[in-house]
Amino acid sequence: MADSAAREREQVVIIGSGPAGWTAAIYAVRAQLEPVVFEGAGSRTMIPGGQLMFTTEVENYPGFKDGITGQELMMEMRAQAERFGTRIVTEDIVDIDVDQRPFVLTSSRGTVVKADSVILATGANARWLGLPNEERLAQSGGGVSACAVCDGALPHFRDQVLAVVGGGDSAMEDALYLTKFAREVVIVHRRDEFRASQIMIDRAMADPKIRVEWNSVVTEVVGDDVITALELEDTVTGEAKKLEVSGLFVAIGHDPNTGFLKGRVELKPNGYVAMPVPWRTNTSVPGIFAAGDVMDDYYRQAVSAAGTGCMAALDAERWLAHGGGGEMMEEADERAGVGAG
C-alpha cells in the first residue's frame, strides 16, 4: 500500500516513519481515523524508518528476547500499520500552513493535502563526523554508533577499548555508560577543556576507566569490516597519531527535523518542538501534535518514541471527537483521576 494517494482532505496526517510515526498510525487506524503517513522520500533528513535504519542490533526493545535489527523492527511496525489500512506516501512534507483550517500541507513532489489534525514524528538525526568510512561502518554494524545506550552492551564491545567523540554532557554520559562494558573508554575532544556541566566532567574524570585525548580530531576511521583504529590529529601541533579501538561512539549532538516548522509551531532554542503542557503531545498550535525524537531531546529511545506516538494518536482522536475543539484539560484530568482525593 506504499505510495497510496492521499485524499484532498484527511482526518489525520502523520509526518515521519520511525517508531513514533508507525505507532501513531497503528493507534489512529484502529480508531478508524484512516490516517495517511508521509514516510519520507529517503533524503538525509527524512529517512523512511528513521534512525533505527542505521542500527544493526536492537536488544532493549520489549518483546524481542533475542534482539532484532533496527531495519527489521521498522519493517515490522510498518507492516503492522499497513495491515490495518494505513495509507503510506513516500514523500517529504516540506511546508505546512497552520493559519488555515483544515491545515494545508505541501510535499516535496508538490502534493497538496488538507488535514484536520497533524502528528509530527519527523525525528532527529545524529550529527556525524563526516568521514566516509565512518558512515559505511555505521550502516554495516562495523562498530561505529551514535547511541551508546542502544549499542554499548553488544558483545563485540565488551572488554574492549572504545572511543567517544565529543565534549558535552552527552559525551560524558556515553563515556560513563560505556565503562560498564569496556576495558577502557577514551574521550576524544578537539579542545583542551570540555563544554559539559562541571558535575558531569567531575564524574567522568573520576572514573579510572576513562582517559582523554585532548586537542584531537578524528581524521580517519580505520577498518574494513569492523573498526580497528582512529587516525587523530593534534589541533595545536598538527601531529598525527593512531588510536587503536574496537568501537567509536559519536556524541556531538542531534539535529531535529524541524526546518519546515520554523514560524509555524513553537520550537525550543535547540530546535526541538516545544511542548507547552507536560505529559501531553499538544504543540503550540491546536490540532497539531508531536511525538518521538522531534520533541524529545532527552531520552531519544525507540521505546519512548513509540510511547509518545501512542499518546499523540489518542490526543488527536480526542481532538477530532470534540469537533476540532479538543478535550478540555479539566475533562481529561478528571477522567484520568488527576487531583482526585
Side-chain angles (χ1 to χ4, degrees):
M1 206 172 284
D3 285 319
S4 300
R7 296 174 301 212
E8 182 179 350
R9 181 168 178 170
E10 302 285 353
Q11 293 185 81
V12 181
V13 170
I14 299 167
I15 310 174
S17 57
W22 292 130
T23 304
I26 291 166
Y27 272 79
V29 73
R30 296 188 77 245
Q32 299 183 343
L33 297 179
E34 301 178 313
V36 60
V37 173
F38 281 80
E39 67 172 344
S43 65
R44 291 191 64 85
T45 54
M46 275 295 293
I47 303 160
Q51 289 298 294
L52 277 183
M53 299 301 285
F54 297 106
T55 301
T56 49
E57 293 297 324
V58 179
E59 295 188 324
N60 55 5
Y61 198 90
F64 299 94
K65 64 181 181 65
D66 297 319
I68 186 172
T69 70
Q71 296 93 330
E72 288 173 333
L73 181 58
M74 288 300 89
M75 290 303 100
E76 288 291 328
M77 285 189 177
R78 187 184 196 273
Q80 186 176 359
E82 199 171 17
R83 170 182 167 237
F84 290 116
T86 298
R87 287 164 295 130
I88 302 168
V89 180
T90 308
E91 298 177 27
D92 298 323
I93 292 295
V94 296
D95 191 27
I96 176 170
D97 186 341
V98 302
D99 294 324
Q100 296 190 53
R101 294 294 186 279
F103 305 109
V104 179
L105 289 71
T106 305
S107 84
S108 52
R109 296 179 186 171
T111 301
V112 176
V113 59
K114 297 179 180 179
D116 294 319
S117 65
V118 176
I119 295 176
L120 306 171
T122 50
N125 292 335
R127 296 175 191 156
W128 296 93
L129 302 175
L131 303 172
N133 212 30
E134 168 200 37
E135 183 174 352
R136 184 181 67 82
L137 291 175
Q139 292 182 358
S140 66
V144 177
S145 172
C147 183
V149 175
C150 307
D151 301 326
L154 294 175
H156 53 272
F157 290 134
R158 292 181 179 270
D159 299 318
Q160 303 296 316
V161 178
L162 306 178
V164 174
V165 176
D169 280 354
S170 293
M172 302 301 112
E173 291 172 2
D174 284 1
L176 286 163
Y177 178 80
L178 292 170
T179 59
K180 300 176 182 179
F181 317 105
R183 182 171 75 251
E184 181 182 45
V185 178
V186 183
I187 300 176
V188 179
H189 187 48
R190 58 183 175 175
R191 300 190 181 94
D192 60 0
E193 62 180 4
F194 292 127
R195 56 182 173 80
S197 60
Q198 192 59 49
I199 187 170
M200 292 304 300
I201 295 173
D202 292 344
R203 287 175 184 172
M205 294 299 92
D207 195 301
K209 283 190 174 183
I210 295 176
R211 69 178 181 89
V212 184
E213 288 284 349
W214 298 104
N215 298 315
S216 297
V217 293
V218 180
T219 57
E220 186 177 351
V221 178
V222 181
D224 294 326
D225 296 326
V226 296
I227 184 174
T228 58
L230 299 176
E231 294 284 355
L232 305 181
E233 180 181 292
D234 191 298
T235 58
V236 177
T237 66
E239 178 185 357
K241 66 184 295 186
K242 180 176 283 190
L243 174 66
E244 294 186 357
V245 297
S246 298
L248 168 63
F249 293 84
V250 182
I252 56 177
H254 289 72
D255 294 312
N257 297 318
T258 55
F260 72 105
L261 296 172
K262 291 179 180 177
R264 273 68 170 175
V265 302
E266 182 184 353
L267 304 177
K268 295 195 287 188
N270 61 4
Y272 287 77
V273 176
M275 309 306 289
V277 182
W279 291 101
R280 297 287 192 274
T281 63
N282 309 64
T283 69
S284 61
V285 178
I288 297 183
F289 308 89
D293 287 7
V294 75
M295 47 76 79
D296 175 14
D297 57 0
Y298 186 77
Y299 294 105
R300 289 195 293 263
Q301 297 297 303
V303 68
S304 55
T308 56
C310 161
M311 294 163 62
L314 293 175
D315 285 343
E317 179 187 3
R318 290 165 186 157
W319 166 264
L320 294 167
H322 285 69
E327 183 177 28
M328 296 299 292
M329 196 61 64
E330 295 83 358
E331 244 184 278
D333 287 343
E334 181 180 353
R335 181 172 46 77
V338 176

